[in-house]
Structure formats: structure tokens, C-alpha cells
């Protein structure tokens, strides 16, 4: 979370100042930037994609029609 804040604010403030205020090292921040998404982030992305796909398929196959619009 701290590194994301630094990333968001680096255009407004020096990275060294942000790191100091947040109690992290610049080396740690730059190492974080160089890493790819975590396993958790990758899994969350895949799950989000699958949920979207299922929702789209569900809307396509189960869209209400005039013949069953009044049913509950």
C-alpha cells in the first residue's frame, strides 16, 4: 500500500521524501516497481475475467423475453 501511494504521488513530491515519510527505503520502492504482479493479483485478475465471462454468457442465454417478462 505504501509503495502504491509513492507511485501515485511521485509526480508531486520527490520519491526520497515520500519514502522517508512512509518509512520505506528507496531501494524497496524501486524493487517493488520492478516486480510483476503478485500471484494473488494474477489469480484475482483471472477470477475477475471468468466472472465477467460468466455474467456475459448468463445475460445472453437468460435475457428476459416478452413471453416471460411478467413471471417472477
Amino acid at each position: 500500500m505504501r509503495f502504491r501511494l509513492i507511485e501515485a504521488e511521485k509526480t508531486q513530491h520527490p520519491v526520497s521524501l515520500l519514502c522517508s515519510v512512509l518509512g520505506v527505503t528507496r531501494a524497496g520502492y524501486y524493487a517493488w516497481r520492478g516486480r510483476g504482479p503478485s500471484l494473488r493479483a494474477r489469480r484475482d485478475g483471472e477470477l475477475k475475467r471468468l466472472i465477467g465471462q460468466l455474467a456475459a454468457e448468463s445475460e445472453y442465454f437468460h435475457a428476459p423475453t416478452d413471453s416471460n417478462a411478467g413471471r417472477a
Side-chain angles (χ1 to χ4, degrees):
M1 186 74 164
R2 293 176 185 173
F3 294 143
R4 282 190 232 147
L5 178 59
I6 295 168
E7 189 71 16
E9 295 295 323
K10 71 181 180 181
T11 59
Q12 302 297 318
H13 307 284
V15 170
S16 58
L17 175 63
L18 293 167
C19 289
S20 177
V21 168
L22 295 172
V24 298
T25 64
R26 286 185 327 151
Y29 165 69
Y30 288 113
W32 170 82
R33 282 188 61 198
R35 285 187 219 125
S38 67
L39 177 59
R40 171 70 183 262
R42 291 192 309 267
R43 287 181 177 169
D44 285 351
E46 178 65 11
L47 185 57
K48 183 177 180 180
R49 186 190 67 76
L50 289 172
I51 290 170
Q53 180 181 348
L54 290 171
E57 290 172 2
S58 177
E59 289 173 10
Y60 176 77
F61 290 111
H62 302 291
T65 62
D66 292 336
S67 63
N68 66 5
R71 298 181 189 172

